[in-house]
Amino acid sequence: MTLNLTVALCVACMAIAAFAGWRGAKPPNFAKGPRLAPWRLIMVTCAALALFFLVHIVNLLGVTTGR
């Protein structure tokens, strides 16, 4: 993966995580029925992916992580 693609995917994951965090924090509206999207799970998954992308960016910049 190139640096440009990794940065773009990292930014996209952070944006989706922020949006899902906002949607997940809204109080439920029982008149509309149940929520059909698991916003908390989407938020945590995108945040974890963003962390992996950040580590990959650091590796692409030349810093050795791990053993």
Side-chain angles (χ1 to χ4, degrees), residues 15-40:
I16 293 170
F19 176 74
W22 171 72
R23 290 286 298 192
K26 290 177 75 173
N29 186 356
F30 295 111
K32 287 186 174 181
R35 294 183 196 168
L36 298 179
W39 292 111
R40 305 280 171 142

Side-chain angles (χ1 to χ4, degrees), residues 12-56:
C13 281
M14 284 192 252
I16 293 170
F19 176 74
W22 171 72
R23 290 286 298 192
K26 290 177 75 173
N29 186 356
F30 295 111
K32 287 186 174 181
R35 294 183 196 168
L36 298 179
W39 292 111
R40 305 280 171 142
L41 178 64
I42 294 170
M43 176 187 64
V44 170
T45 303
C46 286
L49 283 173
L51 180 65
F52 288 130
F53 283 130
L54 283 173
V55 171
H56 186 63

